Amino acid sequence: MSGRKKASPDVTFDPRSVISPDKALVPSVIAVNEERVASGFWPKIRKVAARIPFARDALSVWHCARDEETPLAAKGMMLAALAYFVMPVDVVPDFIAGLGFTDDAAVFAALVAVLGRNLKPKHRQAAQQDLDRLQGD
């Protein structure tokens, strides 16, 4: 090996900032995303479930990400999408009427297109039950 050190990938980050998608599967990033989702998903979905057409997909992804049978790589990407959903900083801020959740919807649409085979009927059923309960509140 030469005297030059091989550059290590930069995996440092501020837990309050948006994480680059290319770092979504780094174990420490997965852990931060799990924390973000654990603390922020339910408060946000309760507030917006009746207003967003992709609420069922978001809930299905949440259930799938918590399933022990879901492969780690899929779980990491799902947690990244869920963390993006709960982050207060967005490409398109959520408070903008008519446009606020378009970026979140696009993230979930892409995620379901790529990883949809991991979403099992049990995840979709649990999501529908949650949605029915949330919309009944």
Side-chain angles (χ1 to χ4, degrees):
M1 185 164 175
S2 70
R4 301 171 95 193
K5 288 187 177 180
K6 184 177 176 185
S8 297
D10 178 19
V11 293
T12 60
F13 55 89
D14 177 356
R16 295 170 306 244
S17 67
V18 177
I19 297 171
S20 172
D22 64 337
K23 296 179 183 175
L25 299 181
V26 174
S28 58
V29 173
I30 291 174
V32 168
N33 283 340
E34 271 185 306
E35 278 183 41
R36 287 178 175 166
V37 172
S39 65
F41 181 74
W42 281 104
K44 181 144 186 186
I45 200 74
R46 278 187 192 100
K47 281 192 324 192
V48 302
R51 296 184 302 161
I52 58 173
F54 61 92
R56 185 171 182 252
D57 285 337
L59 286 159
S60 296
V61 168
W62 183 81
H63 283 285
C64 189
R66 296 187 63 226
D67 189 339
E68 291 179 6
E69 295 175 8
T70 301
L72 185 60
K75 195 175 287 199
M77 294 305 295
M78 290 175 183
L79 287 169
L82 291 165
Y84 181 78
F85 174 67
V86 302
M87 289 291 294
V89 177
D90 257 357
V91 172
V92 180
D94 294 341
F95 62 84
I96 298 175
L99 295 175
F101 288 101
T102 55
D103 57 329
D104 299 290
V107 167
F108 281 104
L111 182 77
V112 170
V114 173
L115 299 174
R117 69 181 181 280
N118 292 287
L119 295 174
K120 307 293 184 223
K122 65 182 178 180
H123 303 136
R124 295 182 192 278
Q125 289 170 341
Q128 189 60 54
Q129 290 171 349
D130 291 338
L131 194 55
D132 292 344
R133 191 180 77 252
L134 287 170
Q135 291 176 339
D137 289 348

